[in-house]
Amino acid sequence: MTVGIKGKFIIGFDGSEHRLLRDGVVVYEGNRIVHVGKSYSGQVDDWIDASTGLVIPGLINTHLHAAGAPNDKSFLEDIGVRPLYGSNLGENLTALNLATSREDKEILARYSLAECLRSGNTTVVEIGMVSAIGEEKTVEMIGEMGIRACEGHGLGDGAMERTGAYDFQIKWLEEEVGQGRLERAERFVERYRGAHNGRLMPALYPGGVMSCSLEYQKTIREKSDELEVPVSIHAGEWVVEFQNMLRMYGRTPVEFMHDTGLLGPNLIIGHLWAIAGHPLLAYPAVGGGDLALLAEAGATVSHDPVVFAKRGNRMHSHSKYLEAGVNVSIGTDTVPQDMLNEMRIASYVSKLADWDPYSGTSREVFNSATLAGAKAIGRPDLGRLAPGALADIAIIDMETINSVPCRDPIRNLVNCAQRGDVRTVIVDGKTLVDDGRLLYVDEEKLVREVQEVGERIWSKIPEVHHFKKTADEVSPQSFRPWEE
Ligand SMILES: [Zn+2]
């Protein structure tokens, strides 16, 4: 079947960059785009009217935790552990994870993916679902939700241990444990490569730079080259980790991954705001510093600004990374799983970091959320509207109270548009969101279920929190309760 979209604004790809096409058409046949231009003379079976819309390639989210993340909401805002430099890792996040049952993680995963789709996000590099709900359930859910996803097993040959009041050290595991995880991850790749018409893209997920030894990282490099899959790791995500890497090896997280050879074009580094030269770290960059190593290796940084902005922290800065030649993509990490919101904050955070309105432009941020994400996962057929690319498309209404007047639709998308303005989302040629509603998810039921999950988690916090605190003690309500 051949479908055409008539759009007021279309972001077409000319082979080297995005261009703005006014009053044009995008035509796709099955799951591939066959034409982008002012008009189309061939046969079209069905037309989608986007005469008030902006037609863009589906956004690519390079770092999120679908099964765990929604439990942050209504809990981790406005708080952080001071002795952990404001992070919630290792304490509050650990408690939330322990308080969430496997069944509840399944509901949260469905919710996260629903949120992603509703914000025009068609491809996700999702980390953690396989461990949280099992590989079969994960694969089934990706099939059911219709989204395009990288998935894989977690890897590591070390585990983080709380060895002092606020001291975290790595305990190295038996060699067979790390090896067993690698074998399981490889089996997943072989079993599910090409699943769901290729929508499921297996990947390798070493958990963090601290919990994978030098030798283990070398093995992951070899394995990923052999399997030809993307690799995603957490690094440069908190002060504790940066300092521990210096103590353990005398190297920054990036220098260490350079030493191990893990740094390469198929590596996506989650967060990586903590690099040499960042003002919070008191560790100056020498020469080109970490950015030069990243650029030379062709590695990708997944910039996930919202979760860090909430802790009073930020990357320094999106534009500086780009100027250094680093491939910067965008991820949502936690909540909300809303790429439009993430793009907006990415833009503002970069301007704030540089004290400069010319930093973090809409163009830069949109390129990061499309072309850079596609590069990160080695897929030149995604993140662009061009003949031969996959039909992963989002249509955002620009004639809403949010986005008029519209002279430059990309600026309005980054600065003004809201998730509710996303009218249509197509993945692999199949329409998943129509008229702003998910076609294959009962949204009312999902909303009810997620609220119930939240209530269950908050009541379990005292049992699992390191200091046995209640939810209200860890995270006091914004206002005291009304008392007569
Ligand atoms: Zn993460």
Side-chain angles (χ1 to χ4, degrees):
M1 172 142 130
T2 305
V3 181
I5 303 170
K6 284 185 185 150
K8 182 173 185 181
F9 305 107
I10 293 169
I11 302 301
F13 185 71
D14 71 0
S16 60
E17 61 176 342
H18 290 312
R19 304 283 289 264
L20 172 61
L21 165 63
R22 290 172 193 267
D23 299 314
V25 297
V26 177
V27 181
Y28 57 96
E29 203 179 307
N31 68 348
R32 294 260 171 205
I33 294 170
V34 292
H35 180 78
V36 179
K38 283 301 275 183
S39 60
Y40 185 65
S41 52
Q43 165 76 27
V44 170
D45 303 308
D46 197 13
W47 281 102
I48 296 174
D49 172 25
S51 54
T52 63
L54 164 65
V55 186
I56 62 168
L59 302 170
I60 300 175
N61 183 344
T62 53
H63 189 106
L64 76 152
H65 305 283
N71 61 17
D72 289 19
K73 201 189 283 178
S74 219
F75 195 80
L76 292 188
E77 302 86 358
D78 304 334
I79 66 163
V81 181
R82 287 191 189 279
L84 298 178
Y85 302 89
S87 181
N88 286 296
L89 286 164
E91 188 166 303
N92 296 331
L93 276 165
T94 308
L96 282 170
N97 186 39
L98 292 170
T100 313
S101 70
R102 185 181 164 122
E103 293 70 36
D104 286 350
K105 283 179 180 169
E106 203 178 310
I107 294 170
L108 297 184
R110 184 172 293 109
Y111 170 65
S112 291
L113 299 178
E115 273 199 286
C116 288
L117 287 169
R118 286 282 306 268
S119 74
N121 174 193
T122 54
T123 295
V124 292
V125 177
E126 196 287 320
I127 303 155
M129 227 161 99
V130 171
S131 318
I133 67 172
E135 54 180 62
E136 261 134 49
K137 269 274 167 236
T138 299
V139 174
E140 188 186 312
M141 192 175 297
I142 298 303
E144 192 186 304
M145 296 298 292
I147 202 163
R148 195 178 297 283
C150 286
E151 290 290 350
H153 278 280
L155 297 172
D157 63 344
M160 196 171 68
E161 272 198 331
R162 196 166 185 159
T163 48
Y166 291 97
D167 192 21
F168 290 86
Q169 296 199 10
I170 298 299
K171 181 188 162 205
W172 298 110
L173 306 168
E174 298 291 329
E175 203 184 319
E176 304 80 73
V177 177
Q179 196 49 40
R181 288 175 181 171
L182 257 172
E183 283 162 16
R184 189 178 59 180
E186 185 175 357
R187 277 199 302 275
F188 181 85
V189 172
E190 280 160 359
R191 189 163 171 202
Y192 294 110
R193 199 197 288 277
H196 301 312
N197 202 29
R199 278 195 296 106
L200 195 138
M201 300 170 283
L204 298 181
Y205 290 158
V209 68
M210 267 200 299
S211 58
C212 296
S213 67
L214 189 128
E215 281 307 315
Y216 198 67
Q217 290 196 15
K218 281 186 181 169
T219 313
I220 294 169
R221 162 52 55 215
E222 282 162 20
K223 197 45 85 183
S224 77
D225 287 346
E226 179 194 321
L227 296 169
E228 297 181 326
V229 291
V231 183
S232 173
I233 192 167
H234 289 89
E237 62 171 336
W238 57 328
V239 179
V240 173
E241 173 224 293
F242 189 89
Q243 293 177 340
N244 276 0
M245 291 302 289
L246 292 179
R247 287 185 192 125
M248 289 160 77
Y249 306 105
R251 306 291 274 162
T252 68
V254 170
E255 286 168 345
F256 186 72
M257 291 186 291
H258 175 258
D259 296 347
T260 67
L262 189 60
L263 217 55
N266 67 341
L267 182 71
I268 306 169
I269 308 168
H271 315 318
L272 202 65
W273 62 264
I275 60 168
H278 191 283
L280 270 187
L281 300 169
Y283 189 86
V286 177
D290 288 342
L291 290 180
L293 292 179
L294 288 164
E296 186 196 312
T300 294
V301 172
S302 179
H303 177 33
D304 316 331
V306 171
V307 68
F308 293 98
K310 283 196 273 193
R311 310 283 174 261
N313 196 0
R314 65 190 181 206
M315 173 186 272
H316 200 93
S317 69
H318 193 141
S319 293
K320 289 271 157 46
Y321 279 48
L322 293 176
E323 275 163 32
V326 179
N327 190 47
V328 182
S329 62
I330 291 183
T332 51
D333 191 46
T334 63
V335 291
Q337 307 278 17
D338 178 344
M339 278 292 278
L340 297 181
N341 181 56
E342 207 72 39
M343 287 159 71
R344 182 164 311 151
I345 304 297
S347 171
Y348 295 170
V349 160
S350 192
K351 292 177 197 299
L352 287 166
D354 288 335
W355 301 96
D356 184 355
Y358 291 91
S359 176
T361 63
S362 305
R363 174 195 169 91
E364 286 174 352
V365 165
F366 187 79
N367 282 339
S368 285
T370 52
L371 299 172
K375 188 173 177 210
I377 55 172
R379 292 297 299 261
D381 55 350
L382 294 174
R384 68 208 67 200
L385 300 180
L390 283 161
D392 288 13
I393 302 168
I395 303 173
I396 300 96
D397 195 352
M398 286 284 128
E399 290 186 16
T400 70
I401 201 154
N402 298 314
S403 290
V404 281
C406 185
R407 187 181 71 88
D408 179 334
I410 290 303
R411 283 193 193 154
N412 285 28
L413 183 76
V414 172
N415 289 277
C416 312
Q418 301 281 341
R419 189 154 64 179
D421 302 333
V422 175
R423 308 315 296 167
T424 307
V425 178
I426 299 156
V427 179
D428 214 32
K430 182 177 176 184
T431 301
L432 302 178
V433 174
D434 185 31
D435 201 22
R437 300 285 292 176
L438 286 154
L439 294 178
Y440 303 99
V441 176
D442 181 342
E443 290 191 26
E444 283 74 22
K445 178 168 172 264
L446 186 60
V447 167
R448 259 195 330 271
E449 286 176 344
V450 172
Q451 180 62 27
E452 288 161 9
V453 171
E455 312 271 355
R456 280 196 287 276
I457 292 171
W458 303 321
S459 71
K460 268 188 247 165
I461 291 294
E463 295 165 37
V464 291
H465 192 269
H466 185 72
F467 295 111
K468 305 292 172 218
K469 289 181 180 173
T470 66
D472 278 356
E473 283 166 345
V474 178
S475 175
Q477 300 270 345
S478 297
F479 292 111
R480 291 191 296 121
W482 181 281
E483 279 158 12
E484 289 291 342

